[in-house]
Amino acid sequence: MRAVKRDQKTRIALTLNGRKLAAEAEPRLLLSDFLRHGLGATGTHVGCEHGVCGACTVLVDGVAVRSCLTLAVQAEGREVRTVESLAAPDGALNPLQAAFRDHHALQCGFCTPGILMSFTDFLARTPHPSEAQIREVLSGHLCRCTGYANIVEAIKEVASSSHAPRSEG
Amino acid sequence: MKPRPFDYVQPDTVDEALALLAEHGDEARILAGGQSLIPMLNLRLIEAAVLIDISRIAELDTIRSDGGVLEVGAAVTQNKLLAWPNLARESALLAAGLPLVGHFQTRNKGTVCGSIAHADPSSELPLLLAMYAGEVVLRAQRGTRAVPAKDFHKDMLTTAREPDELIVAVRFPERPRERVAFREIARRHGDFAIIAVAAAAGANGAVTLGVGGMAGRPVTRAVAAHDAASAADAIGQWAEEIKGYDDLHASAAMRRDMFRKLAANVVAEVAQ
Ligand code: FES
Ligand code: FES
């Protein structure tokens, strides 16, 4: 049983984008802040800090979650993936990122990391979604630049391309 | 914002969790998916001396269908229940209502039991539990009890859970071959509903109607639905009885209006 006092720091070890890392945190530290300040992975953005905007969405064990509604200590031993994992090591964009660029699906880019991570999870589970399904998942994100139409177009392109293996949609 | 400091404990078993609850009582908060609790902590609407994180207790992360009852453990997420193979056939109303709980991203972490424990009057899961006349299984070191939905949800954010008790599971009686409808009005899809309305018709044609967001807790009632006019009368009368309430999102009168319209729709949907 793990127990950590409020003012005590505990060592949290996790796998971030394939690398095993560890840092110290007190119990109240949010995973979003742990990623950005503890581990230096600033690709994950923080907007509302109460689960509404979706900017902070990351994958924990392959599943898209709000990192601002997860405590860092809860990520112990987990596999965390952030937007930094999407492009190839040489910087080449992956198909989802490339489609966002091609469709002008990002303007300021504040909401983009979270949306990319949500759809990384969703398209892995549902490779050929309907537009209604795409919009339903996108409703978990706020884009202050209101670029939703282009975001939907970008995701539709990836969903209908051969990048995604065909299965039940 | 960031939460105020708290002690954190992560028990490995239910027994350990119960010992912690016996020790800390209402100083402690149970953390399961955290999709209601952590926003409130971040906004500093509430404070907790101790958070007891039950999300890794394996024995709570189980769904069982046994003797016509679907039992959902306290660590089971909403999306995990949605993916349960026989859900649409045996528990059609759950399959209809669950996709309206929060968003895809919050259902990945938010638990079924946590939403029921939170007891927001307009949220979907308490209404679903009431519609199924389900029960909540509460365990403490002194014993286990199963509390019917109508006794569990007492009022806004208020339940029958005692400070030393842990919700270990909720039970939904399975209802195959039921015709169902679930509708809600929210400012945006995935936001908290202003009101949520459900209807279910069994093989004998009897219609049960339920509503969340009209009273401090979800309420249900059997309605006569042989024709649209008598259904509308029954709904109108019920709307006056439960009254609704005023808040930021809608006045009581607007809630009654929404209820009359949505209720007539869902009853018509299941009555054919
Ligand atoms: S910062 Fe996490 S949802 Fe807005
Ligand atoms: S691109 Fe600016 S917030 Fe979405």
Side-chain angles (χ1 to χ4, degrees):
Chain A
M1 179 163 69
R2 182 174 200 155
V4 193
K5 288 283 170 215
R6 57 191 58 207
D7 43 15
Q8 190 189 346
K9 286 197 168 180
T10 186
R11 191 182 145 86
I12 298 161
L14 50 76
T15 306
L16 176 65
N17 301 328
R19 286 175 59 208
K20 289 200 185 310
L21 295 172
E24 305 241 298
E26 47 183 57
R28 69 174 180 139
L29 193 73
L30 303 172
L31 178 59
S32 42
D33 288 335
F34 184 66
L35 290 171
R36 291 176 56 86
H37 306 302
L39 302 178
T42 52
T44 300
H45 291 169
V46 174
C48 65
E49 285 191 326
H50 60 277
V52 173
C53 74
C56 68
T57 304
V58 301
L59 304 191
V60 176
D61 288 349
V63 158
V65 300
R66 312 287 207 217
S67 60
C68 74
L69 299 189
T70 305
L71 302 175
V73 48
Q74 293 185 290
E76 170 70 40
R78 304 285 192 204
E79 200 61 68
V80 178
R81 272 188 77 193
T82 61
V83 69
E84 284 95 338
S85 70
L86 296 184
D90 67 358
L93 301 183
N94 83 356
L96 186 61
Q97 291 173 303
F100 267 60
R101 185 189 56 197
D102 294 346
H103 289 271
H104 191 50
L106 63 157
Q107 293 162 73
C108 77
F110 192 83
C111 65
T112 318
I115 297 178
L116 291 172
M117 297 323 285
S118 268
F119 281 93
T120 299
D121 172 13
F122 178 69
L123 291 172
R125 289 192 232 184
T126 313
H128 300 285
S130 65
E131 182 168 332
Q133 284 177 302
I134 292 172
R135 286 179 180 272
E136 142 76 28
V137 173
L138 189 56
S139 76
H141 294 272
L142 295 178
C143 173
R144 271 150 265 228
C145 303
T146 67
Y148 299 108
N150 291 347
I151 296 171
V152 172
E153 287 311 309
I155 295 163
K156 270 167 63 182
E157 179 189 291
V158 175
S160 61
S161 75
S162 54
H163 297 300
R166 191 161 280 281
S167 72
E168 41 69 77
Chain B
M1 275 168 60
K2 325 286 181 192
R4 288 206 179 87
F6 47 77
D7 296 345
Y8 172 87
V9 218
Q10 188 183 76
D12 299 313
T13 63
V14 170
D15 285 344
E16 285 178 358
L18 298 182
L20 290 164
L21 277 169
E23 182 186 341
H24 298 290
D26 54 17
E27 296 271 271
R29 293 268 183 173
I30 299 289
L31 171 63
Q35 303 300 288
S36 305
L37 180 65
I38 298 188
M40 291 194 299
L41 288 169
N42 287 2
L43 292 167
R44 304 196 173 190
L45 294 172
I46 57 164
E47 247 182 280
V50 187
L51 283 198
I52 303 173
D53 180 0
I54 61 164
S55 62
R56 293 201 194 199
I57 300 182
E59 59 194 293
L60 295 177
D61 192 14
T62 54
I63 304 176
R64 278 197 325 205
S65 163
D66 194 9
V69 175
L70 184 67
E71 187 173 290
V72 182
V76 173
T77 64
Q78 294 143 11
N79 270 348
K80 180 169 176 169
L81 180 58
L82 251 178
W84 178 248
N86 292 334
L87 196 73
R89 207 180 61 219
E90 310 287 349
S91 307
L93 189 61
L94 272 177
L98 274 172
L100 299 175
V101 178
H103 298 284
F104 169 74
Q105 299 83 353
T106 59
R107 290 193 298 273
N108 275 339
K109 195 137 189 291
T111 61
V112 173
C113 289
S115 176
I116 285 167
H118 182 52
D120 186 286
S122 69
S123 74
E124 296 82 5
L125 275 157
L127 172 59
L128 289 164
L129 189 73
M131 286 294 291
Y132 279 94
E135 53 188 23
V136 178
V137 185
L138 292 159
R139 187 168 302 158
Q141 282 187 328
R142 58 200 159 80
T144 302
R145 59 183 180 136
V147 179
K150 66 175 184 353
D151 301 327
F152 182 76
H153 284 119
K154 291 193 166 316
D155 204 348
M156 222 166 266
L157 310 182
T158 310
T159 71
R161 187 183 82 87
E162 297 291 337
D164 64 339
E165 286 179 315
L166 176 69
I167 298 179
V168 288
V170 288
R171 294 181 183 144
F172 300 93
E174 289 171 335
R175 301 221 186 114
R177 289 180 300 280
E178 201 173 48
R179 286 193 308 283
V180 303
F182 197 107
R183 299 269 176 260
E184 64 181 35
I185 296 179
R187 290 279 168 194
R188 294 177 314 149
H189 176 78
D191 282 4
F192 274 114
I194 299 172
I195 70 161
V197 178
N204 61 1
V207 174
T208 305
L209 181 64
V211 59
M214 285 288 285
R217 60 192 184 124
V219 284
T220 65
R221 172 181 279 197
V223 292
H226 7 272
D227 62 89
S230 59
D233 278 351
I235 291 164
Q237 201 187 339
W238 197 25
E240 296 309 316
E241 279 171 42
I242 33 181
K243 293 188 181 69
Y245 52 86
D246 298 315
D247 70 6
L248 204 63
H249 305 290
S251 64
M254 183 171 161
R255 285 191 148 80
R256 288 196 293 275
D257 210 30
M258 288 173 166
F259 172 61
R260 280 189 289 265
K261 300 226 162 70
L262 274 194
N265 289 350
V266 293
V267 168
E269 264 182 74
V270 301
Q272 323 123 16

